[in-house]
Amino acid sequence: MGGFRAASPLLSGAGAGAESDPRPAAAAPRVAMACVVASEVATVLAVMRRNVRWAGVPYGGGGRDGGGGDELLGHPLIAGLKSLRRRAASWGGTCRWRDEVDPLLYLHPFLDVVRSDETGAPITGAALLSLHKMLTLELVGPSAPNVAEAMGAIVDAVTGCRFEVTDPASEEAVLARVLQVLLASVRGRAAPALTNRHVCAIVSTCFRVVQQAGTKGELLQRVSRQTMQEVIRCVFARLPDLDTTVVADDKVRLATLNCICADTFVLQIGSCRNKGLGAEEIENGRSDYVCLNNSGDEVGTASGIVQDKAMMEQFGVPCMVEILQFLCSLLNIAEDIEVNPRINPIDFDEDVPLFALGLVNSAIELSASSIHRHPKLLAFVQDELFRNLMNFGLSMSPLILTTVCSIVFTLFYHLRHELKLQMEAFFSCVILRLAQNRYGASYQQQEVALEALVDFCRQKEFMSEMYANMDCDLQCSNIFEEVANLLSKSAFPVNSPLSALNVLASDGLIAVLQAMAEQTINAPRHHEQTVSEINEYFPFWQLKCESNNDPDQWVKFVNQQKGIKRKLMVGVEHFNRDKKKGFEFLQGAHLLPEKLDPHNVALFFRHTPGLDKNLLGDYLGNHDEFSIQVLHEFARTFDFKEMNLDAALRLFLETFRLPGESQKIQRILEAFSERYYEQSPQIFVNIDAALVLSYSVILLNTDQHNVRVKKKMTEEDFIRNNRRINGGNDLPREFLSDIYHSICRNEIKTIPEQGAGCSEMTFSRWVDLMWKSKKTSAYIACDSCPYLDHDMFSIMAGPAVAAISVVFDNVEHEEVLTRCIDGFLSVAKLAAFYHLDDVLNDLVVVLCKFTTLLNTSYIDDPVTAYGEDTKARMATEAVFTIATTYGDHIRSGWRNIIDCVLKLHKMGLLPAHLTGDTADDQDSSESLPSKLASSAATPPVLPASVPKKSYGLMDRFSQLLYYDAEEPMSQPSEEQLVAQHNALETAKKCELSTIFNESKFLQADSLSDLARALVQAAGRPQKITSSLDDEGTAVFCLELLITVTLNNRDRIVLLWQGVYEHIAHIVQSTVMPCNLVEKAVFGLLHICQRLLPYKENLVDDLLRSLQLILKLDARVADAYCENITLEVTRLVKANATHIKSQMGWRTIISLICVTARHPDASDAGFEALVFIMSEGSHLSPANFVLSVEASRQFAESRLGSTERSIHALNLISDSVNCLMWWTREVKEAGGEANRILEGIAEMWLRLLQALRKVCTDQREEVRNHALLLLHRCLVVDGISVSSSTWLMSFDIIFQLLDELLEIVQNYSPKDYRNMEISLLHAVKLLCKVFLQSLGDLSAHSGFGKLWLEVLDMIEKFMKVKVRGRRAEKLKEAIPELVKNILMVMKASGILSKASTSENSLWEATWLQVNKISPLLQLEVFPDNEGDKETQGEQNKLDTPAQSDRNAEQ
């Protein structure tokens, strides 16, 4: 046998190679195939000859030899084999094996050997091996003649295999080869030729072998189970290729495989274990036969099997349904199997269902995607298969539970659209029940359930579809909410360290959040749809979605349903407290009609979860007419078709608690009996029969399950109690017996569980579920768009953040930490996307705590500690990722973020450019004063008086470099250096500068909160000195605040008030120079400089803020005056055209004026003033007087040179040109010219006043130059000066002259040198101005008084003594000046005897003139002219021009 078998592979290989050879020579394949057949025949014959029965050797004499040999040679088995050998050799010509030779011709001899009970195990095994080889070499091809008969014959022969047992080893070998042949039958290309019956036979035979292998070797056990797995896979792998119309109209009798297999298998298992086939019989010296098909005759000829049309067709859906039915029945049979003593009962209890579930799993994995195309298969999966999965879902075995969850997961993936309520039941009654430890589940069960739940959560559409189909369905549980709450609670460790379950639950939450976050990319914003309120009642229980494929339709539908469901839940709470208030609320919400009707109330009771079942039972049992109507309507909501009475009663009583009062019980049972009789009239003749039996069932239930009842009712008692109740006749004994045993095994719970979910799935509840599944709304498939994620995220955000935070806080594994960070970032993304700012801010607060940057405890080496803390660094990166990405939605969280930034700053981990200006401001920063520029470019430094602490890496390296070599110091270890490097890298990755430099993109509310956080973080000390402990923090916050302000110039209105108040507090609280006030002052100037060109409406506010500089403490102002002036100069040069208001100019010029008295800043201040006043380019009515006054102060300042003072005076004098221009423009423009001209005249007077003040300067050059300029400004032409204005100008002149006289008389000549010249200039100024204004003043009523005052002043100057003696120059010049005036007055007719009636001016004039020079009257009015008549007005001369000519003379 060994030699033949060794040669077979060579022949088969040659045959395969020859057959695949594309050459035209056809003889090679034929010879090869013939060789294969011949080889296998020879092998089988050789094995047979090894047995004495078939060896052909006679036992006695020669005569018997011949006879015995002839008889042996004529045996049908040997004859058939030898005949096949001859025929195979003779086949030739054009014959083609696969297409023309009937396979039965070369299969029958081998099949006969397999079926024969005369052969032993080795012979049968050899024949089976030959069949296996022919099938694997595909000698039986799909196109062969009579292939169906051939494949059927193979299956029939192998499944009916009979052989004589000689030893256990050979028996196991035969069984293994049986499995090989059966597997090859369903695996080969000819497998489609098999019929449904044959496939069922293959499965049943494989199972028999599996059962028989239980008492055999471990190898056979493993091989048999694996083979059956492969057979199931091969069968169900064909489902996707089946045509859905093949079996659409055929009816498959559901009991076929159960009749063939299930009951037979129970007998088979029992017989195999009771008989103990194998070793025991061998030891007793007896030989026996093995027949795989104990009921073989029944398989071939049983009534209804062969004749079943569907089972005789080519295999397809019918056999698959039967196989699944068999596997489900196997799950139930396992409970009743008698366990062999040699098998561990626990292992067997787990082994049998686990094996069956494994087969189901294999079948579902390969066929689930196509099951929905086959209604019969789908119906079985929906009902029986899923019900069995529910039952085994609560198994104590983790392996069984895992397998069940795997099957359900596969079904969910492919068939969730057809398994809506089944999935809800599985999650409610299995997953959620086991995953919660309060229901008594073991740790292993919790772990498996939670793992399964997390697998579901990793499906991106799972939670969305659960919410849409369950939470938004009025009759379903809130699966989404329950799952989210379960995962959140399961992440919290309870009185123990963090466990794998906690981490697993957090993984589920994170998976859900990440899936939702990814969906925000496809954002149609359907979540923003508003659902209209219900204004009137409508039958919403029957509401259906118009289109499940149109998101606009189904999103509106589910949102409406969810709104109704929320109100219903509120109504339930009210009802459970007070029925009347509950109805009132529901009527007010239009969920019940204004006038209650029994039908709608019954629907509310039937379909609303969470109702108090005690209250419901009492209400339904009430005797009032309305309650009775509600009760009957409530009963009509049940479907009791094809349901036993006990099952119907269980279902009915599970919805409420049966009251204790007999009358209420009677009313309730009457309603139940009426409904049951209505749907099952074939059992009872009237309603009374159903009512009596219902009562009897209730009594039996109490009798059997009440511990107080000692003597239990027997079956006979129950049957006897129910005699003649069916219209005087007895009910069928079997019917009553079934009810009795059902009640005994399973109690009817008259006190059902409160609540909606997490209760066991009873058979009655399952029947009700199947009835509801036919009426429930269609399953809604959610694609990758976040239609409902807004509401979902709102529900789970808070608990999810808390759960992930707990895990993050208690775990150290970096991979878990990374997943938690991903979860946090997903929450941030969702919160920002759906504008849930509170969620985002709470998340920021949580993460900031994990950074450890907010810890107030002292750490000796904070940088190293931070660098070694991976969790803290990861949290830090997450915080600032959120801040830079979703800053628009951060509100209160900014304070925590700023605190983290400050801590990083104190640790020295932030880059120097963190608060750099924006790109468009780099040019301006280059021109800053050196001190200020260096301050802006470097990180804040602590004051010199404060010992500097070494926080950062650079500080540490500096210490290492500059410490005294003799001083002992500790070198940082390699671990410390790595930690410090990690800390620096973390700070670099955070990109903190982006928060402030890109703050212009923040929303208004977020920007305001950011600025407010910076102000709060900086603090508000009452008194700031140079020794402020946390000055570095305040300076850093101020820099950040200024950066934010500069980057938001378009929205400065949002920030300005807070920024101004903060800087004002710093300025007003500072009494000594320090870095903080310096940053505040120059930051304020920088803000004004940057914003003035862009914000015309804020120019005044910005410039008004600069008044804070004027309020600086004197010591502070003195320290920074020069740089302040430089900044003001830059501001003026850049923004002079933007300053329009007088207030703004007053502020600017006030700052300039301050510098006039400062030795270092005066030059820069004067430069700014020159820029304003030079050529009047930037002078305006708003700043004219202010500028003139500022020039006066610089002219009077002794800090600058005399040339600068003279330059300042020239600026004042030149500004008169502006007055002349403005006057000309006003006259040309017309309109309200007088008022404007008066204003110009007023400015002229202010200019004169300014010059007057400088005319008394101690410096001779400045004083004399001021007098000359004053003269020039007084006699300027082009300014409209009224007579009253002239009079006021003379007041200025008189004041000047009085001051000069006082200086001469009271001050030392050393202080005021050459005053005589100044007095001469002054008296000339008086005379010339009087002549200039004579024409305007002569007609004025006060002219006489003015004239006398002029003469009086001239008299004073005439008499003044300089250095103790009269001034000769004045004495010489004054008479001539007075003479010129008198001559002009004479010529103009102003001075004459006839000029007035009383001639008072004439007399007063000469009275005064004579005091000055007595000879002037004669010179002006000689005697011959004294009596002449005064000339008239028509002879008046042009006195101003004439006086000028006289002055020149």
Side-chain angles (χ1 to χ4, degrees):
M1 178 177 177
F4 280 100
R5 186 55 56 199
S8 297
L10 296 176
L11 291 174
S12 63
E19 185 180 11
S20 62
D21 193 346
R23 291 176 297 178
R30 289 199 300 271
V31 173
M33 291 300 180
C35 291
V36 171
V37 173
S39 172
E40 296 308 314
V41 170
T43 300
V44 174
L45 289 173
V47 175
M48 294 178 69
R49 291 189 181 100
R50 295 178 62 181
N51 191 293
V52 295
R53 180 185 300 178
W54 310 96
V57 179
Y59 294 99
R64 292 197 310 177
D65 290 348
D70 293 339
E71 184 179 353
L72 182 62
L73 292 175
H75 194 282
L77 296 181
I78 295 180
L81 291 170
K82 290 187 175 183
S83 175
L84 173 59
R85 198 171 191 178
R86 289 191 298 271
R87 295 181 65 182
S90 63
W91 287 334
T94 59
C95 179
R96 300 179 60 189
W97 279 72
R98 287 187 174 86
D99 298 333
E100 298 181 12
V101 177
D102 188 348
L104 287 174
L105 294 178
Y106 50 85
L107 290 176
H108 258 307
F110 298 99
L111 297 179
D112 291 339
V113 174
V114 172
R115 281 193 293 260
S116 175
D117 55 1
E118 300 179 18
T119 58
I123 300 173
T124 305
L128 289 170
L129 199 56
S130 298
L131 290 174
H132 179 257
K133 183 174 182 180
M134 292 178 185
L135 289 173
T136 54
L137 291 177
E138 297 185 355
L139 295 187
V140 184
S143 59
N146 297 322
V147 63
E149 291 79 356
M151 293 299 296
I154 294 174
V155 174
D156 289 339
V158 176
T159 56
C161 175
R162 302 168 65 87
F163 60 92
E164 184 180 1
V165 176
T166 57
D167 62 274
S170 61
E171 180 185 358
E172 293 183 16
V174 172
L175 293 177
R177 287 169 183 172
V178 167
L179 296 174
Q180 289 180 345
V181 175
L182 294 178
L183 178 58
S185 299
V186 295
R187 180 179 283 176
R189 289 197 303 153
L194 292 170
T195 65
N196 290 308
R197 183 181 68 84
H198 288 127
V199 174
C200 293
I202 291 173
V203 174
S204 65
T205 303
C206 289
F207 180 72
R208 289 192 194 98
V209 176
V210 170
Q211 294 302 317
Q212 293 184 23
T215 56
K216 304 296 188 294
E218 183 178 356
L219 179 60
L220 180 61
Q221 294 179 28
R222 294 180 180 273
V223 170
S224 61
R225 288 172 179 261
Q226 182 62 33
T227 303
M228 191 166 182
Q229 289 273 8
E230 292 297 326
V231 168
I232 296 296
R233 290 193 183 100
C234 292
V235 172
F236 282 88
R238 190 167 179 264
L239 183 63
D241 301 327
L242 292 180
D243 188 357
T244 57
T245 62
V246 172
V247 294
D249 299 327
D250 295 332
K251 293 184 178 180
V252 181
R253 283 195 291 269
L254 298 179
T256 52
L257 188 59
N258 288 335
C259 293
I260 299 172
C261 301
D263 295 336
T264 305
F265 292 162
V266 176
L267 298 174
Q268 185 76 24
I269 295 170
S271 63
C272 289
R273 292 179 176 169
N274 291 331
K275 292 180 180 178
L277 294 178
E280 293 181 2
E281 296 180 357
I282 300 295
E283 292 172 359
N284 294 332
R286 298 191 302 111
S287 176
D288 206 344
Y289 290 92
V290 171
C291 177
L292 291 180
N293 191 355
N294 286 342
S295 54
D297 296 336
E298 296 177 5
V299 174
T301 61
S303 61
I305 298 178
V306 177
Q307 291 79 8
D308 193 300
K309 179 181 177 181
M311 296 304 293
M312 296 306 297
E313 291 181 351
Q314 291 184 349
F315 91 88
V317 174
C319 73
M320 297 180 190
V321 174
E322 300 302 335
I323 292 172
L324 287 178
Q325 283 184 328
F326 160 64
L327 295 178
C328 290
S329 64
L330 183 61
L331 294 173
N332 299 322
I333 291 171
E335 300 177 0
D336 302 324
I337 293 177
E338 183 179 346
V339 181
N340 191 296
R342 289 180 292 178
I343 300 177
N344 188 338
I346 298 178
D347 293 341
F348 180 77
D349 289 342
E350 182 182 82
D351 180 71
V352 175
L354 185 61
F355 175 63
L357 288 171
L359 296 176
V360 173
N361 190 30
S362 298
I364 295 300
E365 284 177 344
L366 293 170
S367 61
S369 60
S370 304
I371 288 177
H372 67 280
R373 298 190 294 118
H374 304 281
K376 300 186 187 311
L377 195 56
L378 176 61
F380 178 81
V381 171
Q382 289 174 324
D383 190 354
E384 187 171 351
L385 175 61
F386 220 102
R387 178 168 56 84
N388 281 277
L389 293 176
M390 293 284 295
N391 292 336
F392 277 88
L394 297 176
S395 170
M396 293 297 294
S397 169
L399 291 175
I400 292 179
L401 178 57
T402 300
T403 308
V404 169
C405 292
S406 299
I407 297 172
V408 175
F409 181 80
T410 305
L411 291 174
F412 172 83
Y413 188 84
H414 295 286
L415 295 173
R416 59 183 180 273
H417 299 81
E418 288 78 20
L419 298 172
K420 176 180 176 179
L421 296 187
Q422 289 85 342
M423 286 296 171
E424 182 213 1
F426 181 76
F427 283 108
S428 297
C429 301
V430 178
I431 295 295
L432 295 175
R433 185 182 182 89
L434 294 179
Q436 303 179 60
N437 54 13
R438 69 170 183 268
Y439 288 97
S442 65
Y443 180 85
Q444 289 78 10
Q445 285 179 304
Q446 293 182 48
E447 187 174 22
V448 172
L450 200 56
E451 286 175 349
L453 186 58
V454 171
D455 286 338
F456 280 102
C457 291
R458 292 193 176 108
Q459 301 299 308
K460 294 183 178 180
E461 295 83 12
F462 170 71
M463 290 296 259
S464 299
E465 293 183 358
M466 289 297 103
Y467 183 78
N469 293 283
M470 309 301 176
D471 292 55
C472 297
D473 192 313
L474 300 180
Q475 302 182 34
C476 293
S477 304
N478 293 331
I479 299 298
F480 167 79
E481 290 189 28
E482 292 180 15
V483 169
N485 291 333
L486 171 64
L487 292 176
S488 300
K489 293 178 181 178
S490 298
F492 284 83
V494 180
N495 300 325
S496 63
L498 197 70
S499 66
L501 285 182
N502 304 134
V503 177
L504 184 62
S506 68
D507 284 346
L509 282 174
I510 294 168
V512 174
L513 293 170
Q514 286 180 321
M516 295 171 66
E518 291 176 5
Q519 290 179 351
T520 57
I521 300 173
N522 311 312
R525 299 299 175 108
H526 282 267
H527 60 271
E528 297 178 354
Q529 290 186 353
T530 57
V531 180
S532 58
E533 292 291 332
I534 301 176
N535 297 321
E536 60 181 357
Y537 175 79
F538 66 95
F540 56 86
W541 297 106
Q542 289 79 31
L543 190 64
K544 301 292 183 182
C545 182
E546 297 179 4
S547 174
N548 288 351
N549 297 323
D550 183 6
D552 292 329
Q553 295 289 335
W554 69 256
V555 171
K556 180 179 179 181
F557 170 74
V558 298
N559 284 331
Q560 183 181 27
Q561 291 287 92
K562 187 61 178 177
I564 294 174
K565 192 171 184 179
R566 288 194 181 103
K567 291 182 179 179
L568 276 176
M569 293 301 102
V570 177
V572 167
E573 294 179 2
H574 286 290
F575 180 86
N576 291 341
R577 289 193 296 266
D578 188 327
K579 295 189 291 291
K580 183 178 179 181
K581 291 184 179 180
F583 284 138
E584 290 176 354
F585 173 83
L586 293 169
Q587 288 175 302
H590 305 289
L591 299 180
L592 284 177
E594 294 182 3
K595 184 178 180 181
L596 292 177
D597 64 275
H599 177 69
N600 288 298
V601 174
L603 290 177
F604 169 70
F605 288 160
R606 179 72 169 95
H607 300 300
T608 305
L611 289 172
D612 188 320
K613 296 183 178 182
N614 294 324
L615 291 176
L616 184 56
D618 289 337
Y619 186 92
L620 293 174
N622 286 338
H623 64 278
D624 61 279
E625 184 63 27
F626 185 78
S627 296
I628 293 174
Q629 293 177 4
V630 171
L631 172 61
H632 285 271
E633 289 291 339
F634 180 78
R636 291 190 187 98
T637 62
F638 290 86
D639 185 9
F640 297 141
K641 291 179 181 178
E642 301 179 359
M643 193 180 296
N644 289 338
L645 184 134
D646 65 307
L649 193 57
R650 290 178 194 277
L651 175 62
F652 187 68
L653 295 180
E654 279 183 352
T655 56
F656 59 91
R657 180 179 180 180
L658 190 65
E661 300 180 20
S662 59
Q663 293 180 350
K664 291 185 176 182
I665 294 175
Q666 180 178 356
R667 283 190 286 269
I668 290 174
L669 290 181
E670 284 177 354
F672 165 78
S673 302
E674 179 182 342
R675 179 61 173 171
Y676 187 81
Y677 175 76
E678 178 184 339
Q679 294 188 313
S680 302
Q682 67 278 8
I683 300 176
F684 302 100
V685 297
N686 52 38
I687 298 176
D688 292 339
L691 176 61
V692 172
L693 184 58
S694 300
Y695 257 114
S696 182
V697 169
I698 295 295
L699 293 175
L700 174 63
N701 185 73
T702 304
D703 177 87
Q704 294 294 320
H705 300 285
N706 192 328
V707 294
R708 297 180 180 178
V709 179
K710 304 302 181 183
K711 185 179 180 181
K712 304 296 184 182
M713 186 185 303
T714 65
E715 181 180 351
E716 291 299 326
D717 293 337
F718 178 72
I719 295 174
R720 183 173 55 254
N721 293 339
N722 292 284
R723 287 178 181 174
R724 303 182 184 279
I725 65 171
N726 195 20
N729 298 320
D730 291 339
L731 289 168
R733 183 181 180 87
E734 295 78 8
F735 175 73
L736 295 176
S737 179
D738 290 342
I739 292 177
Y740 176 84
H741 291 292
S742 174
I743 298 299
C744 291
R745 286 195 304 267
N746 191 4
E747 176 188 6
I748 297 178
K749 296 182 179 179
T750 57
I751 307 178
E753 298 181 17
Q754 295 286 351
C758 292
S759 58
E760 293 186 21
M761 178 58 67
T762 61
F763 178 76
S764 55
R765 285 190 61 196
W766 182 260
V767 173
D768 185 52
L769 182 145
M770 294 306 299
W771 176 72
K772 289 181 179 179
S773 65
K774 300 175 183 178
K775 299 182 178 182
T776 188
S777 57
Y779 192 91
I780 297 174
C782 298
D783 54 18
S784 58
C785 294
Y787 300 117
L788 305 172
D789 287 6
H790 176 269
D791 295 336
M792 295 166 55
F793 181 69
S794 300
I795 293 172
M796 68 178 299
V801 171
I804 300 174
S805 300
V806 169
V807 175
F808 188 79
D809 189 27
N810 291 277
V811 76
E812 298 297 335
H813 196 276
E814 189 168 352
E815 182 180 356
V816 179
L817 293 175
T818 302
R819 289 202 300 270
C820 292
I821 292 295
D822 293 339
F824 287 135
L825 295 179
S826 297
V827 170
K829 184 176 182 179
L830 290 166
F833 184 78
Y834 294 115
H835 303 287
L836 300 175
D837 298 343
D838 291 340
V839 174
L840 185 61
N841 285 280
D842 292 342
L843 175 62
V844 169
V845 172
V846 170
L847 283 173
C848 287
K849 292 179 180 178
F850 288 130
T851 63
T852 68
L853 296 175
L854 304 183
N855 293 346
T856 57
S857 57
Y858 174 76
I859 301 176
D860 182 53
D861 191 359
V863 176
T864 301
Y866 177 73
E868 293 174 346
D869 193 339
T870 303
K871 185 186 301 182
R873 290 186 287 110
M874 294 176 69
T876 303
E877 292 182 26
V879 166
F880 290 107
T881 299
I882 292 173
T884 55
T885 310
Y886 312 113
D888 277 346
H889 306 278
I890 299 177
R891 298 292 181 268
S892 58
W894 279 123
R895 179 57 196 276
N896 298 79
I897 294 174
I898 295 303
D899 288 342
C900 292
V901 174
L902 294 178
K903 186 60 178 290
L904 292 173
H905 170 69
K906 289 181 179 180
M907 293 164 63
L909 297 175
L910 298 186
H913 64 277
L914 180 62
T915 57
D917 293 336
T918 53
D920 59 348
D921 192 52
Q922 290 178 355
D923 295 338
S924 62
S925 64
E926 292 176 357
S927 59
L928 285 172
S930 58
K931 180 179 178 181
L932 183 60
S934 61
S935 174
T938 57
V941 182
L942 292 175
S945 60
V946 180
K948 185 176 180 181
K949 298 179 181 180
S950 57
Y951 290 113
L953 278 179
M954 298 306 299
D955 294 333
R956 299 180 183 283
F957 291 143
S958 299
Q959 291 177 359
L960 292 175
L961 292 174
Y962 296 110
Y963 275 171
D964 190 348
E966 297 179 357
E967 183 180 353
M969 57 183 178
S970 60
Q971 296 288 342
S973 64
E974 184 177 353
E975 291 77 8
Q976 289 177 323
L977 292 176
V978 171
Q980 293 167 4
H981 176 76
N982 292 337
L984 283 173
E985 287 298 316
T986 299
K988 183 178 179 181
K989 291 178 182 178
C990 291
E991 299 181 355
L992 302 184
S993 59
T994 305
I995 298 176
F996 309 100
N997 294 334
E998 302 296 330
S999 59
K1000 57 187 174 184
F1001 300 111
L1002 293 177
Q1003 292 182 0
D1005 292 341
S1006 179
L1007 179 62
S1008 300
D1009 289 325
L1010 173 60
R1012 192 177 300 112
L1014 287 170
V1015 172
Q1016 294 173 353
R1020 296 177 66 88
Q1022 295 299 318
K1023 187 175 182 181
I1024 302 175
T1025 64
S1026 58
S1027 60
L1028 185 65
D1029 293 337
D1030 55 350
E1031 182 189 9
T1033 298
V1035 170
F1036 187 65
C1037 289
L1038 180 60
E1039 288 179 341
L1040 296 179
L1041 184 62
I1042 293 173
T1043 300
V1044 170
T1045 304
L1046 294 177
N1047 280 283
N1048 288 274
R1049 63 189 184 194
D1050 295 331
R1051 299 185 291 176
I1052 186 62
V1053 177
L1054 298 173
L1055 304 174
W1056 177 244
Q1057 187 63 31
V1059 174
Y1060 171 75
E1061 290 178 358
H1062 181 59
I1063 294 178
H1065 172 76
I1066 294 174
V1067 171
Q1068 296 171 3
S1069 303
T1070 305
V1071 296
M1072 292 293 291
C1074 62
N1075 200 16
L1076 178 59
V1077 72
E1078 179 183 0
K1079 292 292 183 183
V1081 170
F1082 294 112
L1084 181 62
L1085 289 167
H1086 200 187
I1087 291 172
C1088 293
Q1089 176 188 340
R1090 284 283 309 282
L1091 299 183
L1092 282 176
Y1094 305 101
K1095 291 295 176 183
E1096 295 182 1
N1097 58 330
L1098 280 179
V1099 169
D1100 288 347
D1101 291 335
L1102 291 171
L1103 293 176
R1104 187 182 293 110
S1105 68
L1106 296 180
Q1107 295 177 5
L1108 291 174
I1109 301 176
L1110 301 174
K1111 300 177 181 180
L1112 284 170
D1113 184 91
R1115 291 167 290 185
V1116 177
D1118 183 68
Y1120 304 118
C1121 188
E1122 180 180 3
N1123 288 332
I1124 291 174
T1125 307
L1126 290 174
E1127 277 294 288
V1128 172
T1129 302
R1130 291 180 62 243
L1131 186 148
V1132 170
K1133 290 182 178 180
N1135 301 285
T1137 57
H1138 302 290
I1139 305 174
K1140 306 294 184 182
S1141 67
Q1142 185 177 15
M1143 184 282 304
W1145 278 113
R1146 179 181 292 109
T1147 303
I1148 294 296
I1149 294 175
S1150 297
L1151 293 172
I1152 295 174
C1153 292
V1154 171
T1155 64
R1157 299 182 295 274
H1158 196 279
D1160 299 326
S1162 58
D1163 290 339
F1166 186 69
E1167 180 184 352
L1169 185 63
V1170 171
F1171 176 81
I1172 297 172
M1173 300 187 67
S1174 291
E1175 300 179 0
S1177 56
H1178 298 293
L1179 284 176
S1180 67
N1183 67 357
F1184 183 86
V1185 174
L1186 299 170
S1187 300
V1188 168
E1189 184 63 23
S1191 296
R1192 178 194 66 78
Q1193 294 187 29
F1194 277 97
E1196 292 178 343
S1197 174
R1198 302 294 294 270
L1199 297 177
S1201 62
T1202 302
E1203 288 76 10
R1204 194 183 74 179
S1205 298
I1206 294 174
H1207 190 183
L1209 291 172
N1210 291 335
L1211 292 176
I1212 299 175
S1213 175
D1214 293 343
S1215 63
V1216 174
N1217 296 328
C1218 291
L1219 299 178
M1220 296 169 60
W1221 297 337
W1222 296 340
T1223 301
R1224 184 168 59 252
E1225 290 175 356
V1226 169
K1227 290 181 178 180
E1228 293 175 356
E1232 300 179 0
N1234 292 333
R1235 184 176 60 83
I1236 299 176
L1237 291 175
E1238 290 176 1
I1240 295 175
E1242 177 66 23
M1243 288 186 281
W1244 178 67
L1245 290 175
R1246 298 293 295 273
L1247 182 148
L1248 298 179
Q1249 282 282 15
L1251 287 174
R1252 176 196 65 78
K1253 293 179 181 179
V1254 186
C1255 289
T1256 59
D1257 194 90
Q1258 291 182 347
R1259 294 167 295 177
E1260 180 183 1
E1261 297 88 342
V1262 175
R1263 181 173 66 248
N1264 293 335
H1265 191 71
L1267 287 168
L1268 293 175
L1269 294 179
L1270 179 60
H1271 175 214
R1272 185 183 302 169
C1273 292
L1274 283 167
V1275 299
V1276 68
D1277 192 13
I1279 300 177
S1280 297
V1281 182
S1282 64
S1283 57
S1284 58
T1285 304
W1286 276 116
L1287 290 176
M1288 287 187 284
S1289 67
F1290 274 100
D1291 291 338
I1292 296 173
I1293 296 173
F1294 291 151
Q1295 183 179 2
L1296 170 62
L1297 297 178
D1298 288 338
E1299 291 174 352
L1300 290 174
L1301 290 174
E1302 182 181 359
I1303 290 172
V1304 171
Q1305 295 171 2
N1306 300 328
Y1307 288 87
S1308 170
K1310 294 181 180 180
D1311 296 332
Y1312 291 88
R1313 298 180 181 276
N1314 297 325
M1315 281 298 298
E1316 185 177 358
I1317 301 300
S1318 299
L1319 293 175
L1320 180 60
H1321 287 311
V1323 74
K1324 287 181 179 181
L1325 180 149
L1326 175 63
C1327 295
K1328 291 178 181 180
V1329 171
F1330 182 78
L1331 290 175
Q1332 177 74 17
S1333 61
L1334 187 60
D1336 296 327
L1337 294 176
S1338 60
H1340 194 273
S1341 59
F1343 175 74
K1345 181 180 178 181
L1346 175 64
W1347 166 239
L1348 295 177
E1349 290 179 356
V1350 169
L1351 291 176
D1352 182 64
M1353 185 60 68
I1354 292 174
E1355 179 186 2
K1356 292 179 181 179
F1357 271 70
M1358 188 70 180
K1359 297 178 180 180
V1360 68
K1361 292 182 179 181
V1362 180
R1363 294 184 179 181
R1365 60 178 181 274
R1366 290 182 177 273
E1368 295 297 332
K1369 294 181 180 181
L1370 287 175
K1371 189 175 181 180
E1372 294 175 0
I1374 287 176
E1376 290 298 325
L1377 293 173
V1378 175
K1379 179 180 178 180
N1380 288 337
I1381 295 174
L1382 293 174
M1383 293 295 292
V1384 173
M1385 293 178 67
K1386 173 185 175 182
S1388 60
I1390 297 174
L1391 185 63
S1392 64
K1393 291 182 179 181
S1395 61
T1396 61
S1397 59
E1398 298 179 357
N1399 208 14
S1400 59
L1401 180 62
W1402 172 268
E1403 295 176 353
T1405 298
W1406 295 115
L1407 179 63
Q1408 195 70 28
V1409 169
N1410 289 333
K1411 295 179 181 179
I1412 298 172
S1413 176
L1415 302 176
L1416 285 178
Q1417 185 175 7
L1418 294 176
E1419 294 179 7
V1420 176
F1421 290 97
D1423 293 339
N1424 56 352
E1425 296 180 1
D1427 296 333
K1428 292 182 179 181
E1429 296 180 357
T1430 306
Q1431 298 181 1
E1433 288 294 325
Q1434 66 276 14
N1435 295 326
K1436 289 182 180 180
L1437 301 174
D1438 188 1
T1439 55
Q1442 193 174 33
S1443 63
D1444 286 342
R1445 288 192 297 273
N1446 293 336
E1448 292 297 332
Q1449 294 175 359

